[in-house]
Amino acid sequence: MTTTTEIAEQAGTDAPGPAAVSGWTATRLVAEREIRTYVRMKGFWIGLVLVLIGIFAAAILPGVIGGGPTSIAVVGQAADALQEQAGFEVRTVADADAARELVRNEEVEAAVVPDAQGNPAGVRIIALSEPPMDVIAALTTAPPVDLLEQGDVSAGQRQLVIMVFALVFLMFGMGGLAIAQSTVTEKQTRIVEILVAAVPVRSLLAGKLLGHTVLALGQVVLFAAAAPIALRLGELDGLLTAITPALGWFVPFLVAGFVLLGSLWAIAGALVSRQEDLGSTTGSVTMLVMLPYFLVMFFSDDPLVMTVLSYVPFSASVAMPVRLFTGEAAAWEALLALAVVAATAAAVLLLASRIYAGSLLQTRGRVGLAQAWAGRN
C-alpha cells in the first residue's frame, strides 16, 4: 500500500511546512494512494465478484429453473381447446373482459377466449407483452394473439432491470462513505498533518474524489460490459436490445452522481475527528442516497413522478436511465438532466472544497459548518 510517508517523499518533503507540490501532481499522488489502498482490500474484490455473480444469476437462472406451470384464464368452452396433457394452471372466468383484466394485472400469464371472427382455432390468446409460446404450442391450431402492451420486454423483466439500476445506484452512492471514513481516520490518527505538509488540502480532496471516482467508473464499466454477456447467455435478446441504450447513459450519469455525493461524503468526514462521531454527519447524506432508491422503486410506474425525479440532481442518476430504458424519455432530456447533475456536482464540489479546507486540520471534536466555512480553529 502506498503510505503517507511515500506521498511526502514523492512530493519532495518529509517535514511539516508549506505543501511541496500543487495542482495535478498532488491530486494524482493522492488518487493513486486511494486506488491502491482499496484494490488491495479483500472486501473490495469479494463485493465485485458477488455483484458479477448476481448479474449472471439474474439473467440465467429464471430460464433454467422456470416458474412452474403457466397460469391461464379461460372463458367458457375455450378450455376445451387446450390439450389435457399440457399441465397448465387453468382459471375459469365469466367473460373476455374479466380475462383481459387478469392478464393486465399479471394475475395470470395469458388468457384463452372464444373468437367470434371464425379463425380455425376457434379461440384467441390474450397476453401482456409477449406471445406465450407454451400456450400456443398446446393448441392444435395456432390462434391469433392479442398483446395488451407492445414492447420488447415483459413486465417482470422491466421491473427486474429497474431494480438492478436502483441497486447499483444505491451501492455506488453508499460507496462514497469510504471517502468520509478515510478522511476521519486521517484526522483521528493525525496523519492528515503529514499529508497537508506534502500536498495542498484542496488537492487532497480532489485526489480522494478522483481515486474513488475511477474505482466507481471501473466497476460500472465492468458491470455494463458483463450485462450484455449475461443476457445473451440467458437468451434474453429482446431485453438486451432494450437495455443497451440505457446502459450507455447510465455510466456518465453514475459518474456525475458519484462526484456529487462524494463531495458531500467528504464534508461529512472532515467535520468530525473520530469514527464514533461520523454517524452524526453522514445521516443526511445517507438520506440523499436512500431516498432516490426508494422513490424510483415505488414510483417506477408513475410517469409524472419519474419525470420530476429525472431532473432532481440527487435522483436523476437513476431515474433518467430508467426512463430511457422504458422509452419514456428522449435523448435531449437525458442531455439536459446530465447537465443539471454535472452543474450541481461542480457547485457542490466548490462548496465542499471550502468546507473541507476549513475543517480538515481541526481535530478537537465536531466542527460546525459556519466554523468550517470561516476556517477558524
Side-chain angles (χ1 to χ4, degrees), residues 9-332:
E9 290 175 351
Q10 291 180 61
T13 181
D14 56 4
V21 294
S22 60
W24 168 246
T25 301
T27 300
R28 178 180 57 80
L29 290 174
V30 176
E32 289 177 358
R33 172 178 179 268
E34 294 292 321
I35 293 173
R36 290 176 183 176
T37 297
Y38 282 90
V39 297
R40 294 183 180 183
M41 295 172 63
K42 291 183 179 179
F44 172 84
W45 292 106
I46 291 174
L48 186 64
V49 170
L50 287 177
V51 174
L52 286 173
I53 292 174
I55 290 174
F56 280 87
I60 298 173
L61 288 182
V64 174
I65 298 175
T70 302
S71 58
I72 306 172
V74 297
V75 177
Q77 300 301 314
D80 297 337
L82 293 174
Q83 299 174 2
E84 293 182 0
Q85 68 273 23
F88 296 109
E89 182 181 325
V90 178
R91 179 173 175 179
T92 304
V93 295
D95 52 40
D97 289 337
R100 186 177 290 104
E101 192 64 24
L102 289 176
V103 173
R104 194 178 299 279
N105 294 334
E106 299 185 54
E107 296 183 36
V108 297
E109 297 176 46
V112 181
V113 301
D115 186 19
Q117 299 181 13
N119 73 77
V123 294
R124 300 185 71 86
I125 293 178
I126 300 174
L128 189 63
S129 60
E130 55 186 4
M133 302 309 298
D134 53 347
V135 179
I136 296 173
L139 298 172
T140 54
T141 304
V145 178
D146 297 332
L147 299 181
L148 301 181
E149 296 180 4
Q150 297 290 340
D152 294 326
V153 299
S154 66
Q157 292 172 344
R158 177 181 182 274
Q159 195 59 37
L160 175 63
V161 171
I162 292 173
M163 182 181 70
V164 169
F165 275 168
L167 283 174
V168 171
F169 167 81
L170 178 63
M171 180 179 70
F172 282 101
M174 291 302 298
L177 178 61
I179 299 175
Q181 293 173 331
S182 172
T183 299
V184 74
T185 297
E186 291 165 358
K187 290 186 67 175
Q188 187 170 0
T189 58
R190 297 300 182 99
I191 290 176
V192 68
E193 297 174 3
I194 301 175
L195 287 171
V196 172
V199 298
V201 174
R202 286 179 172 81
S203 293
L204 183 60
L205 170 61
K208 286 182 178 293
L209 283 174
L210 176 61
H212 287 275
T213 301
V214 169
L215 287 172
L217 177 61
Q219 292 176 80
V220 75
V221 168
L222 178 61
F223 298 155
I229 298 174
L231 292 174
R232 286 195 178 95
L233 291 175
E235 298 181 352
L236 299 174
D237 294 335
L239 181 57
L240 174 60
T241 302
I243 199 176
T244 298
L247 278 176
W249 281 105
F250 194 40
V251 174
F253 267 105
L254 200 61
V255 171
F258 184 84
V259 173
L260 171 59
L261 292 169
S263 301
L264 296 177
W265 285 117
I267 293 175
L271 291 177
V272 295
S273 302
R274 301 186 308 164
Q275 289 287 350
E276 296 85 348
D277 299 330
L278 191 56
S280 64
T281 58
T282 57
S284 57
V285 187
T286 301
M287 285 298 298
L288 290 175
V289 178
M290 298 293 294
L291 194 58
Y293 166 78
F294 286 114
L295 289 174
V296 168
M297 289 296 294
F298 292 151
F299 294 100
S300 59
D301 292 328
D302 190 319
L304 178 59
V305 175
M306 290 298 293
T307 299
V308 173
L309 292 176
S310 297
Y311 296 101
V312 176
F314 296 100
S315 59
S317 294
V318 60
M320 183 56 77
V322 165
R323 289 185 64 223
L324 289 167
F325 165 68
T326 58
E328 298 171 358
W332 69 266

Side-chain angles (χ1 to χ4, degrees), residues 308-368:
V308 173
L309 292 176
S310 297
Y311 296 101
V312 176
F314 296 100
S315 59
S317 294
V318 60
M320 183 56 77
V322 165
R323 289 185 64 223
L324 289 167
F325 165 68
T326 58
E328 298 171 358
W332 69 266
E333 293 182 85
L335 288 172
L336 178 59
L338 184 59
V340 170
V341 178
T344 305
V348 172
L349 181 58
L350 291 175
L351 175 67
S353 178
R354 173 79 176 259
I355 295 175
Y356 195 85
S359 60
L360 191 62
L361 293 178
Q362 300 188 42
T363 57
R364 295 193 296 268
R366 181 175 174 177
V367 183

